[in-house]
Structure formats: C-alpha cells, structure tokens
Amino acid sequence: MTDMPLPAARLWWQKTDKAWLALGVILALTAFFDPIQFRPTLAFAANALWHTAPFIAFAVLAVAFMKATGAETLLAKAFEGRQTRMIVLAALLGGLSPFCSCEVIPFIAAMLALGAPLGAVMAFWLASPIMDPAMFLITSGTLGWDFAVAKTIAAVGLGLFGGFITVAAARAGVFAEPLRDKPQVGGCCGVKKPFEGKPVWRFWQDPERADAFKASALDNAVFLLKWLTLAYVIEALMLEYIPADAIAGLLGGDGLGTILLGALVGAPAYLNGYAAVPLVDALLAQGMSNGAAMSFVIAGGVSSIPAAIAVWVLVKPRVFAAYLGLAITGAVIAGLAWQAIA
C-alpha cells in the first residue's frame, strides 16, 4: 500500500501576517544597508502614530459601535423604492458606511438576484471602498480636514455618476443579465449572515453584542496599527531616498496629464485606503500635485484588490470593466475639481 504524502508544514513566514512580515523585512534591510537611517525611520513612524492615535482610537470605537448595534441593517433601505432614490441613498451609504467590500458580497448578491437595479448596486460599489468613518478620521489627521471632506464628496459623487451612467447603459441593453451564472462568494473579511433585524443601540445589554464590540475594536485596532506602521515607515524612507524632483517632474503641475497619470498609477499601486494616506502625504511633500493626489486615492480605492474582488466574483466581465472605467473617469474628474479649488 502506497503511503499518502503528508501535507507540508507551513513555514514561519507563511504563517505571519503579510503586513507585519513586510514591515520586518523593510526595517531589517534598512538596518543592514543604512544603519544610520534606521533609528530616524523608527522615530518618524512612532511620532506619526502618536499624532494619529486620537483619530485611530475614535475610529476604532465608532466602527465597533456600528458593528455591535447591527447598524448595517439600515443598508437594505437603500435598495427600496424608486430607482433614482435608490441610487442617491446607495451612493450616500456607500461613501459613509464603515463596512468593507467583502462584507456586503452576500447582501449585494441577494439584492441582484431579487432584481435590485444594477445602477443602485454600482453606485454603492463605487462609493464604498473610497471612504468610511475610520478612513475619514485618518485622512483628516494626516492630510487635513479639507482633503478628507473633498474625498468624501468625491466618493458620493462617483457613486452618483456611476449609478446614473449605469442606468443609461442598462436601458440600452448593455448590461443585460449582469450576474455570473454561479457567483462565488468569498473575500478578505469572511462571510457572515448579514443585515437581518433592527439595530439594537443599547448593545451592552446583550452579551453577544458586547462581545462583538470587543472583537471588532480589537480587530480594527490591530488592522490600523499594522498598516499605518508599515505606511509610515515607507513614508520615512520615501522622503529620504526618492528625489523630490523626480516626483515633481512626474506628478507635479496643474495639467490634465498629471491627474490622469495619478489615476492610472493609483489603480495598480494601491495598498489600501489607510496605508495610502501616509504615502500620499509623502508624495505631496515631494511635489505631487493636489489633483493627482485626489485622482490617485479615488482610482486606487475602487481598484484595490478587496474592492475589485467584491465586484468580480458576482458580475460578468463587461460589468466589471465598466466598474473600472467609471472609477478611472470619476477619479480624473475629482482630481480636476480638487486641483481647481485647492
């Protein structure tokens, strides 16, 4: 009888969270190749985290409260009534809700299967990954309240833009039968049974909801800590090693070209919305234009892997292509608008 091969043991680096692993590798390389820069890099990251700590704490508690109370049940209200109303509410909820793209996959799949208009779903999908309460606070603490407010307006505006464009295309028959035959549900957040019942605002009176508050707060605190620490370390090294003239020459200036380039670079280069904030701060300090910065964060947010997967797993390629095309177009428009007023 042939022995069955045993599964290979996972090596330690395969078990380690990728963000922590990347942070360790970057710091180790810095210590080896430029030991003089090692301590200033740590000091820069620690000081940045200390400056951002109040925003992180408030964001973590606010998101945990939303999770524990079950406020995501309010999301279903966006997909009721007239289509115009649906699109407006979907864009607003997408731009302001604290839920990641993966968490709403089961809900969106059910809504599409039950006949919810693709325009409202597209509005939510486009707005959702760009901004949420936690990201707003992190953005405002690093890039300023004006940039955070403008990004929020851009998120809602992109949702409205994409939603109504999708309605027009659907009427022309472009998006007939948008769903895949057998959509695969999955993603970065795990899938839970979502959006049932009414919110329970006094969640601390329910032990299960109180436990959900604690778990959510801890998970989000660790998530923000690892990504922001990594991003601040990268920011310190970017400021040290990347010539400011190179960034200014590539992404500086007021022209359409730099804004379009910001969107095209942001689409594949994005890590996530939280890690992008310090990186954009460094790019701005080195000469990136305001418009390019805005187009970078808008296009990058929509095209980040979790957000893109949430769309890809449910809809056919032509709908996914429209999702990316609308994101790039909306990002350029947002960049032009912000360049004009900033």
PDB file of all heavy atoms in Angstrom, residues 40-41 45 56 91 93 95 135 138 143 185 187 190 272 279 286 289 295 299 303 312 330-331 333:
ATOM      1  N   PRO A  40      16.175  57.045  12.824  1.00  0.00           N
ATOM      2  CA  PRO A  40      15.276  58.114  12.368  1.00  0.00           C
ATOM      3  C   PRO A  40      13.989  57.594  11.725  1.00  0.00           C
ATOM      4  O   PRO A  40      12.931  58.219  11.872  1.00  0.00           O
ATOM      5  CB  PRO A  40      16.129  58.876  11.343  1.00  0.00           C
ATOM      6  CG  PRO A  40      17.526  58.625  11.769  1.00  0.00           C
ATOM      7  CD  PRO A  40      17.543  57.231  12.305  1.00  0.00           C
ATOM      8  N   THR A  41      14.086  56.454  11.035  1.00  0.00           N
ATOM      9  CA  THR A  41      12.883  55.872  10.426  1.00  0.00           C
ATOM     10  C   THR A  41      11.898  55.424  11.500  1.00  0.00           C
ATOM     11  O   THR A  41      10.691  55.696  11.420  1.00  0.00           O
ATOM     12  CB  THR A  41      13.266  54.673   9.538  1.00  0.00           C
ATOM     13  OG1 THR A  41      14.133  55.126   8.489  1.00  0.00           O
ATOM     14  CG2 THR A  41      12.024  54.027   8.927  1.00  0.00           C
ATOM     15  N   ALA A  45       8.120  57.067  12.282  1.00  0.00           N
ATOM     16  CA  ALA A  45       6.899  56.259  12.338  1.00  0.00           C
ATOM     17  C   ALA A  45       6.220  56.375  13.691  1.00  0.00           C
ATOM     18  O   ALA A  45       4.991  56.498  13.780  1.00  0.00           O
ATOM     19  CB  ALA A  45       7.229  54.800  12.023  1.00  0.00           C
ATOM     20  N   ILE A  56      -7.228  57.343  15.429  1.00  0.00           N
ATOM     21  CA  ILE A  56      -7.334  55.887  15.377  1.00  0.00           C
ATOM     22  C   ILE A  56      -8.290  55.387  16.453  1.00  0.00           C
ATOM     23  O   ILE A  56      -9.164  54.556  16.197  1.00  0.00           O
ATOM     24  CB  ILE A  56      -5.950  55.236  15.544  1.00  0.00           C
ATOM     25  CG1 ILE A  56      -5.036  55.613  14.375  1.00  0.00           C
ATOM     26  CG2 ILE A  56      -6.074  53.722  15.649  1.00  0.00           C
ATOM     27  CD1 ILE A  56      -3.610  55.120  14.532  1.00  0.00           C
ATOM     28  N   ALA A  91     -25.321  55.671  -2.974  1.00  0.00           N
ATOM     29  CA  ALA A  91     -24.082  56.448  -3.033  1.00  0.00           C
ATOM     30  C   ALA A  91     -23.745  57.042  -1.673  1.00  0.00           C
ATOM     31  O   ALA A  91     -22.586  57.021  -1.239  1.00  0.00           O
ATOM     32  CB  ALA A  91     -24.207  57.551  -4.083  1.00  0.00           C
ATOM     33  N   LEU A  93     -24.772  55.958   1.369  1.00  0.00           N
ATOM     34  CA  LEU A  93     -24.409  54.897   2.306  1.00  0.00           C
ATOM     35  C   LEU A  93     -23.060  54.279   1.956  1.00  0.00           C
ATOM     36  O   LEU A  93     -22.268  53.954   2.838  1.00  0.00           O
ATOM     37  CB  LEU A  93     -25.494  53.816   2.319  1.00  0.00           C
ATOM     38  CG  LEU A  93     -26.776  54.178   3.065  1.00  0.00           C
ATOM     39  CD1 LEU A  93     -27.840  53.105   2.861  1.00  0.00           C
ATOM     40  CD2 LEU A  93     -26.503  54.360   4.551  1.00  0.00           C
ATOM     41  N   GLY A  95     -20.549  55.796   0.538  1.00  0.00           N
ATOM     42  CA  GLY A  95     -19.483  56.722   0.885  1.00  0.00           C
ATOM     43  C   GLY A  95     -19.309  56.954   2.365  1.00  0.00           C
ATOM     44  O   GLY A  95     -18.262  57.445   2.788  1.00  0.00           O
ATOM     45  N   MET A 135     -11.573  55.852   7.924  1.00  0.00           N
ATOM     46  CA  MET A 135     -10.673  56.420   6.927  1.00  0.00           C
ATOM     47  C   MET A 135     -10.764  57.947   6.905  1.00  0.00           C
ATOM     48  O   MET A 135      -9.768  58.630   6.674  1.00  0.00           O
ATOM     49  CB  MET A 135     -10.990  55.845   5.548  1.00  0.00           C
ATOM     50  CG  MET A 135      -9.860  55.974   4.548  1.00  0.00           C
ATOM     51  SD  MET A 135     -10.295  55.296   2.922  1.00  0.00           S
ATOM     52  CE  MET A 135     -10.624  53.596   3.350  1.00  0.00           C
ATOM     53  N   ILE A 138      -8.570  59.171   9.791  1.00  0.00           N
ATOM     54  CA  ILE A 138      -7.146  59.010   9.495  1.00  0.00           C
ATOM     55  C   ILE A 138      -6.710  60.020   8.429  1.00  0.00           C
ATOM     56  O   ILE A 138      -5.643  60.642   8.533  1.00  0.00           O
ATOM     57  CB  ILE A 138      -6.862  57.575   9.003  1.00  0.00           C
ATOM     58  CG1 ILE A 138      -7.247  56.552  10.079  1.00  0.00           C
ATOM     59  CG2 ILE A 138      -5.402  57.422   8.610  1.00  0.00           C
ATOM     60  CD1 ILE A 138      -6.512  56.687  11.368  1.00  0.00           C
ATOM     61  N   LEU A 143      -3.789  64.435   6.211  1.00  0.00           N
ATOM     62  CA  LEU A 143      -3.837  65.286   5.025  1.00  0.00           C
ATOM     63  C   LEU A 143      -4.689  66.535   5.214  1.00  0.00           C
ATOM     64  O   LEU A 143      -4.735  67.386   4.315  1.00  0.00           O
ATOM     65  CB  LEU A 143      -4.364  64.483   3.831  1.00  0.00           C
ATOM     66  CG  LEU A 143      -3.535  63.258   3.442  1.00  0.00           C
ATOM     67  CD1 LEU A 143      -4.216  62.497   2.299  1.00  0.00           C
ATOM     68  CD2 LEU A 143      -2.124  63.658   3.038  1.00  0.00           C
ATOM     69  N   VAL A 185     -18.910  33.373  -3.621  1.00  0.00           N
ATOM     70  CA  VAL A 185     -18.885  34.310  -2.505  1.00  0.00           C
ATOM     71  C   VAL A 185     -17.630  34.067  -1.691  1.00  0.00           C
ATOM     72  O   VAL A 185     -17.351  32.954  -1.284  1.00  0.00           O
ATOM     73  CB  VAL A 185     -20.129  34.137  -1.618  1.00  0.00           C
ATOM     74  CG1 VAL A 185     -20.030  35.027  -0.407  1.00  0.00           C
ATOM     75  CG2 VAL A 185     -21.380  34.459  -2.416  1.00  0.00           C
ATOM     76  N   GLY A 187     -13.865  36.374   0.077  1.00  0.00           N
ATOM     77  CA  GLY A 187     -13.171  37.646   0.152  1.00  0.00           C
ATOM     78  C   GLY A 187     -12.332  37.762   1.385  1.00  0.00           C
ATOM     79  O   GLY A 187     -12.052  36.799   2.082  1.00  0.00           O
ATOM     80  N   GLY A 190     -14.200  37.373   5.346  1.00  0.00           N
ATOM     81  CA  GLY A 190     -15.061  36.287   5.801  1.00  0.00           C
ATOM     82  C   GLY A 190     -16.500  36.667   5.537  1.00  0.00           C
ATOM     83  O   GLY A 190     -16.849  37.825   5.376  1.00  0.00           O
ATOM     84  N   ASN A 272      -4.058  49.872   0.522  1.00  0.00           N
ATOM     85  CA  ASN A 272      -5.441  50.024   0.988  1.00  0.00           C
ATOM     86  C   ASN A 272      -5.624  51.475   1.391  1.00  0.00           C
ATOM     87  O   ASN A 272      -4.665  52.240   1.420  1.00  0.00           O
ATOM     88  CB  ASN A 272      -5.781  49.050   2.133  1.00  0.00           C
ATOM     89  CG  ASN A 272      -4.987  49.329   3.391  1.00  0.00           C
ATOM     90  OD1 ASN A 272      -4.858  50.465   3.828  1.00  0.00           O
ATOM     91  ND2 ASN A 272      -4.431  48.278   3.977  1.00  0.00           N
ATOM     92  N   LEU A 279       1.397  57.590   2.435  1.00  0.00           N
ATOM     93  CA  LEU A 279       2.146  57.586   1.181  1.00  0.00           C
ATOM     94  C   LEU A 279       1.812  58.822   0.345  1.00  0.00           C
ATOM     95  O   LEU A 279       2.692  59.445  -0.249  1.00  0.00           O
ATOM     96  CB  LEU A 279       1.838  56.315   0.393  1.00  0.00           C
ATOM     97  CG  LEU A 279       2.144  54.991   1.110  1.00  0.00           C
ATOM     98  CD1 LEU A 279       1.923  53.822   0.170  1.00  0.00           C
ATOM     99  CD2 LEU A 279       3.555  54.983   1.654  1.00  0.00           C
ATOM    100  N   GLN A 286       6.806  65.866  -1.708  1.00  0.00           N
ATOM    101  CA  GLN A 286       7.858  65.818  -2.716  1.00  0.00           C
ATOM    102  C   GLN A 286       7.437  66.424  -4.055  1.00  0.00           C
ATOM    103  O   GLN A 286       8.173  66.331  -5.027  1.00  0.00           O
ATOM    104  CB  GLN A 286       8.300  64.368  -2.924  1.00  0.00           C
ATOM    105  CG  GLN A 286       9.025  63.807  -1.710  1.00  0.00           C
ATOM    106  CD  GLN A 286       9.315  62.330  -1.857  1.00  0.00           C
ATOM    107  OE1 GLN A 286       8.404  61.514  -1.838  1.00  0.00           O
ATOM    108  NE2 GLN A 286      10.577  61.991  -2.000  1.00  0.00           N
ATOM    109  N   SER A 289       1.060  66.969  -7.348  1.00  0.00           N
ATOM    110  CA  SER A 289       0.027  67.999  -7.382  1.00  0.00           C
ATOM    111  C   SER A 289      -1.204  67.561  -6.598  1.00  0.00           C
ATOM    112  O   SER A 289      -1.439  66.361  -6.390  1.00  0.00           O
ATOM    113  CB  SER A 289      -0.375  68.303  -8.825  1.00  0.00           C
ATOM    114  OG  SER A 289      -1.129  67.233  -9.379  1.00  0.00           O
ATOM    115  N   SER A 295      -6.901  62.122  -7.541  1.00  0.00           N
ATOM    116  CA  SER A 295      -7.205  61.073  -8.514  1.00  0.00           C
ATOM    117  C   SER A 295      -6.556  59.753  -8.113  1.00  0.00           C
ATOM    118  O   SER A 295      -7.111  58.677  -8.333  1.00  0.00           O
ATOM    119  CB  SER A 295      -6.753  61.489  -9.918  1.00  0.00           C
ATOM    120  OG  SER A 295      -5.346  61.611 -10.002  1.00  0.00           O
ATOM    121  N   ALA A 299      -9.107  56.534  -7.614  1.00  0.00           N
ATOM    122  CA  ALA A 299      -8.951  55.382  -8.504  1.00  0.00           C
ATOM    123  C   ALA A 299      -8.373  54.190  -7.762  1.00  0.00           C
ATOM    124  O   ALA A 299      -8.800  53.048  -7.965  1.00  0.00           O
ATOM    125  CB  ALA A 299      -8.063  55.753  -9.685  1.00  0.00           C
ATOM    126  N   SER A 303     -10.085  50.350  -7.155  1.00  0.00           N
ATOM    127  CA  SER A 303      -9.418  49.233  -7.813  1.00  0.00           C
ATOM    128  C   SER A 303      -8.596  48.372  -6.869  1.00  0.00           C
ATOM    129  O   SER A 303      -7.948  47.424  -7.314  1.00  0.00           O
ATOM    130  CB  SER A 303      -8.501  49.757  -8.927  1.00  0.00           C
ATOM    131  OG  SER A 303      -7.437  50.520  -8.365  1.00  0.00           O
ATOM    132  N   TRP A 312     -15.913  41.457  -9.004  1.00  0.00           N
ATOM    133  CA  TRP A 312     -15.565  40.415  -9.971  1.00  0.00           C
ATOM    134  C   TRP A 312     -16.285  39.101  -9.697  1.00  0.00           C
ATOM    135  O   TRP A 312     -16.717  38.404 -10.617  1.00  0.00           O
ATOM    136  CB  TRP A 312     -14.052  40.207  -9.970  1.00  0.00           C
ATOM    137  CG  TRP A 312     -13.598  39.071 -10.845  1.00  0.00           C
ATOM    138  CD1 TRP A 312     -13.247  37.814 -10.460  1.00  0.00           C
ATOM    139  CD2 TRP A 312     -13.477  39.106 -12.272  1.00  0.00           C
ATOM    140  NE1 TRP A 312     -12.904  37.051 -11.542  1.00  0.00           N
ATOM    141  CE2 TRP A 312     -13.035  37.812 -12.675  1.00  0.00           C
ATOM    142  CE3 TRP A 312     -13.691  40.069 -13.241  1.00  0.00           C
ATOM    143  CZ2 TRP A 312     -12.801  37.488 -14.003  1.00  0.00           C
ATOM    144  CZ3 TRP A 312     -13.464  39.755 -14.565  1.00  0.00           C
ATOM    145  CH2 TRP A 312     -13.027  38.481 -14.942  1.00  0.00           C
ATOM    146  N   GLY A 330     -14.205  58.889 -13.113  1.00  0.00           N
ATOM    147  CA  GLY A 330     -14.615  59.675 -11.952  1.00  0.00           C
ATOM    148  C   GLY A 330     -13.431  60.210 -11.174  1.00  0.00           C
ATOM    149  O   GLY A 330     -13.467  61.336 -10.643  1.00  0.00           O
ATOM    150  N   ALA A 331     -12.351  59.419 -11.084  1.00  0.00           N
ATOM    151  CA  ALA A 331     -11.155  59.868 -10.368  1.00  0.00           C
ATOM    152  C   ALA A 331     -10.529  61.074 -11.051  1.00  0.00           C
ATOM    153  O   ALA A 331     -10.083  62.018 -10.393  1.00  0.00           O
ATOM    154  CB  ALA A 331     -10.151  58.723 -10.274  1.00  0.00           C
ATOM    155  N   ILE A 333     -12.096  63.268 -12.966  1.00  0.00           N
ATOM    156  CA  ILE A 333     -12.988  64.414 -12.746  1.00  0.00           C
ATOM    157  C   ILE A 333     -12.790  64.983 -11.343  1.00  0.00           C
ATOM    158  O   ILE A 333     -12.707  66.203 -11.147  1.00  0.00           O
ATOM    159  CB  ILE A 333     -14.452  63.989 -12.961  1.00  0.00           C
ATOM    160  CG1 ILE A 333     -14.687  63.622 -14.430  1.00  0.00           C
ATOM    161  CG2 ILE A 333     -15.406  65.110 -12.533  1.00  0.00           C
ATOM    162  CD1 ILE A 333     -16.058  63.016 -14.695  1.00  0.00           C
TER     163      ILE A 333
END
